Amino acid sequence: MAREQGTGDSGQGLVDAQFRDLPRFLRAGDLLVLNDSRVLPARLFATRTGVGAQAGSPSPGGVIEVLLTEEQGTGDRQQGLVWRALVKPAKKVRIGETLHFAERVGGTDAGTDAGILPLRSAQGQNDRLKRSVRRNDPGGVLTAEVVGAGEFGERTLRFRPVKDFYGIVGRIGHMPLPPYIRREQAAGPDSQEDRERYQTVFSQKAGSHEPGSAAAPTAGLHFTPEILAELEARGVEIQYITLHVGLGTFQPVRVAELKDIRLHAERYTLPAATAEALNRALAAGRRVVAVGTTTTRTLEHVGSLGQIEAHSGSTSIFIGPGYKFRVVSGLLTNFHLPESTLVMLVSAFAGRERVLAAYDHAIREKYRFYSYGDCMLVV
């Protein structure tokens, strides 16, 4: 779907189109900015030992699901990487306990679906994971101590040092699909197709030592190499930022007042080529089209700092009603969950009534919503 700004608050100005039509809605001189963060297979399964464990039992608490959300850049890395994570069931996981992460049940090939353990697995499969942990003594291929606890299932984990942390996570982890995407239990929490489709075609190369994202920058999933090439052929400039998606993007709103919303910080990098392109485009009055809310938040954050220069940092910017955009003048975004900060951002950009009209139209025309769904271009 595409809509032009300034076409009223009703459904007028809405155009139904295929994503392959995107080049005809952009023009020569537009600057298109995408988030190239690579999704980490950040969904892990563990057993626990320690404070609340039954004496003598190597796996007393059943299977614990762990979603890595942000690598902490503090402390001595020689003592092991420190990560923030969401765990469940959270009540079982206490400070001082140890989590043991095993190989995938039934094989260690990241491309093998057989034997992947579902979260709500049968007891027999649960036992297989426990036996796998025992075979990988002293505690699985990865081991982490719980060193901090927060609200809503947040925990801070310190991993025992290993030679290739990200290589191991890539081997034993699962793609962090949103909870509304369900897979058949026999196939496990993800599939080989998910490992390919839940990754943009322009994401950073596998094997990078960058931390990576705990969710895909989903607006970028629509792009193919052919569409990117056609855009460039038509004179659209394409540049990239990196924002590692974490809780700041997908955490639910848990407060009643907008003024009380506080987002978790997410790490980003603005490359020199992108900073220079932004300065040229803004000076010339050309459109800056952000692909996705993560790109939008990054660009607006760096725009708030004054002069736009290459750097890395973190942002917890919340964009809601009344926000004045400094950098972004066009937005490509998926259709989001209601009452989310993502919908608030889109409404701040396009106008609440226009967004409601677009969503009503999308529902009537049976558009697909959320991560693997359709998208909307507002220019």
Side-chain angles (χ1 to χ4, degrees), residues 333-345:
T333 183
N334 279 24
F335 294 93
H336 301 292
L337 288 164
E339 300 181 358
S340 67
T341 59
L342 307 181
V343 166
M344 295 177 194
L345 183 153

Side-chain angles (χ1 to χ4, degrees), residues 11 16 49 52 184:
D16 296 315
T49 56
E184 293 295 329

Side-chain angles (χ1 to χ4, degrees), residues 31 33-34 36 204 239-243 267-279 295 298-303 305-314 327:
L31 173 60
V33 186
L34 306 101
D36 67 1
Q204 298 166 343
Q239 294 292 344
Y240 301 91
I241 57 92
T242 304
L243 180 132
R267 295 166 62 181
Y268 69 86
T269 296
L270 179 70
T274 306
E276 293 166 5
L278 286 168
N279 286 320
T295 302
T298 304
L299 295 181
E300 289 301 313
H301 173 81
V302 301
L305 301 178
Q307 185 174 357
I308 297 177
E309 299 177 319
H311 69 284
S312 295
S314 64
V327 177

